[in-house]
Each structure stands twice: as C-alpha cells, then as structure tokens.
Tab-separated table of all heavy atoms in Angstrom:
chain	number	residue	atom	x	y	z
A	1	ASN	N	-151.699	23.913	-138.578
A	1	ASN	CA	-152.895	24.735	-138.489
A	1	ASN	C	-152.508	26.032	-137.798
A	1	ASN	O	-151.406	26.143	-137.257
A	1	ASN	CB	-154.007	24.018	-137.717
A	1	ASN	CG	-155.391	24.373	-138.238
A	1	ASN	OD1	-155.630	25.520	-138.636
A	1	ASN	ND2	-156.297	23.401	-138.228
A	2	ILE	N	-153.408	26.981	-137.790
A	2	ILE	CA	-153.108	28.242	-137.116
A	2	ILE	C	-153.621	28.190	-135.679
A	2	ILE	O	-154.527	27.422	-135.349
A	2	ILE	CB	-153.700	29.460	-137.856
A	2	ILE	CG1	-155.222	29.345	-137.953
A	2	ILE	CG2	-153.056	29.614	-139.228
A	2	ILE	CD1	-155.885	30.595	-138.522
A	3	VAL	N	-153.034	29.026	-134.819
A	3	VAL	CA	-153.385	29.037	-133.392
A	3	VAL	C	-154.883	29.242	-133.191
A	3	VAL	O	-155.507	28.623	-132.329
A	3	VAL	CB	-152.586	30.137	-132.650
A	3	VAL	CG1	-153.116	30.340	-131.236
A	3	VAL	CG2	-151.104	29.793	-132.627
A	4	ASN	N	-155.476	30.091	-134.003
A	4	ASN	CA	-156.894	30.403	-133.850
A	4	ASN	C	-157.777	29.167	-133.993
A	4	ASN	O	-158.839	29.066	-133.367
A	4	ASN	CB	-157.311	31.457	-134.874
A	4	ASN	CG	-158.662	32.069	-134.560
A	4	ASN	OD1	-158.909	32.497	-133.438
A	4	ASN	ND2	-159.543	32.112	-135.549
A	5	ASN	N	-157.339	28.183	-134.838
A	5	ASN	CA	-158.119	26.965	-135.043
A	5	ASN	C	-157.788	25.876	-134.023
A	5	ASN	O	-158.495	24.872	-133.949
A	5	ASN	CB	-157.879	26.423	-136.453
A	5	ASN	CG	-158.431	27.342	-137.528
A	5	ASN	OD1	-159.349	28.124	-137.270
A	5	ASN	ND2	-157.859	27.277	-138.724
A	6	LEU	N	-156.702	26.081	-133.270
A	6	LEU	CA	-156.274	25.086	-132.293
A	6	LEU	C	-156.679	25.448	-130.862
A	6	LEU	O	-156.549	24.623	-129.958
A	6	LEU	CB	-154.747	24.925	-132.342
A	6	LEU	CG	-154.160	24.459	-133.682
A	6	LEU	CD1	-152.644	24.518	-133.622
A	6	LEU	CD2	-154.639	23.053	-134.008
A	7	THR	N	-157.180	26.662	-130.696
A	7	THR	CA	-157.523	27.132	-129.342
A	7	THR	C	-158.861	27.856	-129.348
A	7	THR	O	-159.372	28.255	-130.398
A	7	THR	CB	-156.449	28.104	-128.815
A	7	THR	OG1	-156.413	29.263	-129.667
A	7	THR	CG2	-155.079	27.456	-128.757
A	8	SER	N	-159.389	28.011	-128.169
A	8	SER	CA	-160.550	28.881	-127.979
A	8	SER	C	-160.192	29.907	-126.908
A	8	SER	O	-159.383	29.628	-126.018
A	8	SER	CB	-161.787	28.078	-127.552
A	8	SER	OG	-161.510	27.332	-126.388
A	9	VAL	N	-160.768	31.085	-127.008
A	9	VAL	CA	-160.490	32.153	-126.050
A	9	VAL	C	-161.502	32.079	-124.918
A	9	VAL	O	-162.708	31.987	-125.142
A	9	VAL	CB	-160.552	33.533	-126.731
A	9	VAL	CG1	-160.351	34.646	-125.694
A	9	VAL	CG2	-159.506	33.632	-127.824
A	10	ILE	N	-161.001	32.090	-123.689
A	10	ILE	CA	-161.868	32.056	-122.508
A	10	ILE	C	-162.013	33.477	-121.966
A	10	ILE	O	-161.029	34.200	-121.818
A	10	ILE	CB	-161.277	31.143	-121.423
A	10	ILE	CG1	-161.313	29.689	-121.899
A	10	ILE	CG2	-162.015	31.295	-120.107
A	10	ILE	CD1	-160.711	28.721	-120.925
A	11	THR	N	-163.228	33.858	-121.689
A	11	THR	CA	-163.498	35.165	-121.091
A	11	THR	C	-163.735	34.997	-119.598
A	11	THR	O	-164.559	34.169	-119.187
A	11	THR	CB	-164.731	35.825	-121.734
A	11	THR	OG1	-164.512	35.928	-123.151
A	11	THR	CG2	-164.974	37.207	-121.159
A	12	ALA	N	-163.009	35.741	-118.817
A	12	ALA	CA	-163.170	35.663	-117.359
A	12	ALA	C	-164.559	36.151	-116.961
A	12	ALA	O	-165.132	37.034	-117.625
A	12	ALA	CB	-162.104	36.518	-116.680
A	13	PRO	N	-165.140	35.582	-115.896
A	13	PRO	CA	-166.455	36.052	-115.434
A	13	PRO	C	-166.482	37.554	-115.191
A	13	PRO	O	-167.463	38.227	-115.478
A	13	PRO	CB	-166.667	35.280	-114.128
A	13	PRO	CG	-165.801	34.070	-114.252
A	13	PRO	CD	-164.620	34.495	-115.063
A	14	LYS	N	-165.374	38.069	-114.669
A	14	LYS	CA	-165.191	39.515	-114.500
A	14	LYS	C	-163.726	39.772	-114.178
A	14	LYS	O	-162.992	38.859	-113.792
A	14	LYS	CB	-166.088	40.061	-113.392
A	14	LYS	CG	-165.769	39.567	-111.992
A	14	LYS	CD	-166.699	40.226	-110.981
A	14	LYS	CE	-166.391	39.776	-109.560
A	14	LYS	NZ	-167.280	40.406	-108.576
A	15	LYS	N	-163.294	41.005	-114.370
A	15	LYS	CA	-161.926	41.387	-114.041
A	15	LYS	C	-161.889	41.992	-112.639
A	15	LYS	O	-162.812	42.698	-112.244
A	15	LYS	CB	-161.374	42.402	-115.053
A	15	LYS	CG	-161.171	41.850	-116.446
A	15	LYS	CD	-160.571	42.915	-117.355
A	15	LYS	CE	-160.378	42.378	-118.773
A	15	LYS	NZ	-159.792	43.419	-119.656
A	16	ILE	N	-160.819	41.691	-111.945
A	16	ILE	CA	-160.616	42.290	-110.621
A	16	ILE	C	-159.864	43.600	-110.815
A	16	ILE	O	-158.793	43.619	-111.432
A	16	ILE	CB	-159.796	41.354	-109.696
A	16	ILE	CG1	-160.438	39.966	-109.608
A	16	ILE	CG2	-159.629	41.972	-108.320
A	16	ILE	CD1	-161.769	39.937	-108.899
A	17	THR	N	-160.416	44.688	-110.319
A	17	THR	CA	-159.736	45.980	-110.450
A	17	THR	C	-158.528	46.021	-109.517
A	17	THR	O	-158.493	45.328	-108.487
A	17	THR	CB	-160.676	47.145	-110.104
A	17	THR	OG1	-161.046	47.047	-108.721
A	17	THR	CG2	-161.932	47.100	-110.969
A	18	SER	N	-157.553	46.831	-109.873
A	18	SER	CA	-156.321	46.897	-109.077
A	18	SER	C	-156.592	47.328	-107.637
A	18	SER	O	-155.869	46.944	-106.720
A	18	SER	CB	-155.318	47.850	-109.736
A	18	SER	OG	-155.894	49.131	-109.928
A	19	GLN	N	-157.660	48.107	-107.425
A	19	GLN	CA	-157.995	48.538	-106.057
A	19	GLN	C	-158.483	47.376	-105.191
A	19	GLN	O	-158.461	47.462	-103.958
A	19	GLN	CB	-159.081	49.628	-106.092
A	19	GLN	CG	-158.636	50.957	-106.693
A	19	GLN	CD	-158.739	50.955	-108.206
A	19	GLN	OE1	-159.129	49.959	-108.815
A	19	GLN	NE2	-158.385	52.083	-108.820
A	20	GLU	N	-158.919	46.292	-105.851
A	20	GLU	CA	-159.462	45.141	-105.108
A	20	GLU	C	-158.405	44.071	-104.820
A	20	GLU	O	-158.703	43.078	-104.163
A	20	GLU	CB	-160.604	44.505	-105.908
A	20	GLU	CG	-161.794	45.409	-106.137
A	20	GLU	CD	-162.838	44.753	-107.023
A	20	GLU	OE1	-162.620	44.684	-108.260
A	20	GLU	OE2	-163.868	44.290	-106.476
A	21	TYR	N	-157.181	44.245	-105.319
A	21	TYR	CA	-156.141	43.233	-105.103
A	21	TYR	C	-155.850	43.077	-103.616
A	21	TYR	O	-155.723	44.057	-102.886
A	21	TYR	CB	-154.835	43.626	-105.807
A	21	TYR	CG	-154.861	43.582	-107.316
A	21	TYR	CD1	-156.027	43.318	-108.030
A	21	TYR	CD2	-153.700	43.820	-108.043
A	21	TYR	CE1	-156.029	43.286	-109.405
A	21	TYR	CE2	-153.695	43.784	-109.437
A	21	TYR	CZ	-154.869	43.524	-110.109
A	21	TYR	OH	-154.885	43.494	-111.482
A	22	LEU	N	-155.724	41.831	-103.173
A	22	LEU	CA	-155.352	41.533	-101.790
A	22	LEU	C	-153.916	41.002	-101.746
A	22	LEU	O	-153.418	40.445	-102.721
A	22	LEU	CB	-156.295	40.477	-101.205
A	22	LEU	CG	-157.793	40.801	-101.205
A	22	LEU	CD1	-158.576	39.597	-100.662
A	22	LEU	CD2	-158.089	42.047	-100.381
A	23	ASN	N	-153.268	41.181	-100.599
A	23	ASN	CA	-151.909	40.647	-100.433
A	23	ASN	C	-151.923	39.133	-100.270
A	23	ASN	O	-150.972	38.451	-100.645
A	23	ASN	CB	-151.221	41.292	-99.237
A	23	ASN	CG	-150.920	42.764	-99.475
A	23	ASN	OD1	-150.651	43.164	-100.598
A	23	ASN	ND2	-150.988	43.564	-98.429
A	24	THR	N	-152.982	38.607	-99.709
A	24	THR	CA	-153.166	37.158	-99.573
A	24	THR	C	-154.628	36.829	-99.845
A	24	THR	O	-155.500	37.689	-99.728
A	24	THR	CB	-152.785	36.661	-98.161
A	24	THR	OG1	-153.608	37.334	-97.182
A	24	THR	CG2	-151.318	36.920	-97.858
A	25	GLY	N	-154.889	35.587	-100.208
A	25	GLY	CA	-156.259	35.172	-100.481
A	25	GLY	C	-156.288	33.743	-100.994
A	25	GLY	O	-155.259	33.062	-101.047
A	26	TYR	N	-157.463	33.290	-101.405
A	26	TYR	CA	-157.611	31.909	-101.873
A	26	TYR	C	-157.187	31.741	-103.333
A	26	TYR	O	-156.708	30.679	-103.731
A	26	TYR	CB	-159.054	31.449	-101.715
A	26	TYR	CG	-159.489	31.269	-100.274
A	26	TYR	CD1	-160.499	32.055	-99.736
A	26	TYR	CD2	-158.881	30.315	-99.455
A	26	TYR	CE1	-160.901	31.897	-98.413
A	26	TYR	CE2	-159.272	30.157	-98.137
A	26	TYR	CZ	-160.283	30.953	-97.613
A	26	TYR	OH	-160.660	30.806	-96.310
A	27	TYR	N	-157.411	32.779	-104.145
A	27	TYR	CA	-157.171	32.632	-105.577
A	27	TYR	C	-156.195	33.707	-106.074
A	27	TYR	O	-156.350	34.889	-105.763
A	27	TYR	CB	-158.489	32.760	-106.354
A	27	TYR	CG	-159.531	31.771	-105.918
A	27	TYR	CD1	-160.593	32.176	-105.108
A	27	TYR	CD2	-159.447	30.431	-106.290
A	27	TYR	CE1	-161.554	31.258	-104.678
A	27	TYR	CE2	-160.398	29.512	-105.882
A	27	TYR	CZ	-161.447	29.926	-105.065
A	27	TYR	OH	-162.386	29.020	-104.637
A	28	PRO	N	-155.203	33.316	-106.883
A	28	PRO	CA	-154.280	34.309	-107.437
A	28	PRO	C	-154.949	35.119	-108.537
A	28	PRO	O	-155.814	34.619	-109.258
A	28	PRO	CB	-153.143	33.456	-107.996
A	28	PRO	CG	-153.766	32.136	-108.298
A	28	PRO	CD	-154.845	31.934	-107.275
A	29	ILE	N	-154.534	36.359	-108.643
A	29	ILE	CA	-154.972	37.228	-109.745
A	29	ILE	C	-153.818	37.305	-110.733
A	29	ILE	O	-152.678	37.551	-110.352
A	29	ILE	CB	-155.317	38.647	-109.230
A	29	ILE	CG1	-156.421	38.578	-108.167
A	29	ILE	CG2	-155.752	39.543	-110.390
A	29	ILE	CD1	-156.634	39.893	-107.443
A	30	ILE	N	-154.130	37.091	-112.004
A	30	ILE	CA	-153.084	37.039	-113.020
A	30	ILE	C	-153.269	38.173	-114.018
A	30	ILE	O	-154.377	38.437	-114.481
A	30	ILE	CB	-153.102	35.672	-113.743
A	30	ILE	CG1	-152.602	34.596	-112.774
A	30	ILE	CG2	-152.252	35.702	-115.006
A	30	ILE	CD1	-152.629	33.210	-113.340
A	31	ASP	N	-152.150	38.864	-114.304
A	31	ASP	CA	-152.148	39.828	-115.399
A	31	ASP	C	-150.897	39.600	-116.229
A	31	ASP	O	-150.288	38.532	-116.169
A	31	ASP	CB	-152.284	41.268	-114.881
A	31	ASP	CG	-151.064	41.739	-114.102
A	31	ASP	OD1	-150.027	41.027	-114.097
A	31	ASP	OD2	-151.129	42.826	-113.496
A	32	GLN	N	-150.487	40.591	-117.005
A	32	GLN	CA	-149.384	40.390	-117.943
A	32	GLN	C	-148.028	40.763	-117.350
A	32	GLN	O	-147.044	40.833	-118.083
A	32	GLN	CB	-149.622	41.218	-119.187
A	32	GLN	CG	-149.678	42.707	-118.899
A	32	GLN	CD	-149.853	43.512	-120.158
A	32	GLN	OE1	-149.703	42.998	-121.246
A	32	GLN	NE2	-150.169	44.771	-120.006
A	33	SER	N	-147.952	41.005	-116.059
A	33	SER	CA	-146.670	41.369	-115.462
A	33	SER	C	-145.691	40.202	-115.551
A	33	SER	O	-146.082	39.051	-115.750
A	33	SER	CB	-146.862	41.776	-113.996
A	33	SER	OG	-147.362	40.695	-113.243
A	34	GLN	N	-144.410	40.499	-115.365
A	34	GLN	CA	-143.370	39.491	-115.533
A	34	GLN	C	-143.595	38.298	-114.599
A	34	GLN	O	-143.422	37.155	-114.986
A	34	GLN	CB	-141.996	40.122	-115.255
A	34	GLN	CG	-140.824	39.228	-115.584
A	34	GLN	CD	-140.682	38.950	-117.071
A	34	GLN	OE1	-140.876	39.839	-117.902
A	34	GLN	NE2	-140.360	37.727	-117.427
C-alpha cells in the first residue's frame, strides 16, 4: 500500500516560535534539524 493509506498526519496544537525556545524545560521541541 502507499504511505498515505498506512498513516495519518497529526497536526500539532500550535507551533513554538524560535523566540520561545528554552534551554531546559519539561517537553522537547522538535524540528527538522539533524
């Protein structure tokens, strides 16, 4: 089958802007960096 039929896309409640990134916290922020 194709990937589109095997998965669903999840939309985040909201995106964290780069200005809001913290050096430490409870939850990691994930983007496409290595």
Side-chain angles (χ1 to χ4, degrees):
N1 213 324
I2 60 173
V3 170
N4 194 50
N5 293 336
L6 300 173
T7 63
S8 56
V9 176
I10 292 178
T11 303
K14 66 178 181 180
K15 293 182 181 180
I16 306 292
T17 64
S18 56
Q19 292 84 359
E20 297 176 284
Y21 291 6
L22 302 177
N23 292 327
T24 59
Y26 291 117
Y27 303 103
I29 302 170
I30 289 177
D31 68 9
Q32 62 177 347
S33 62
Q34 188 67 40

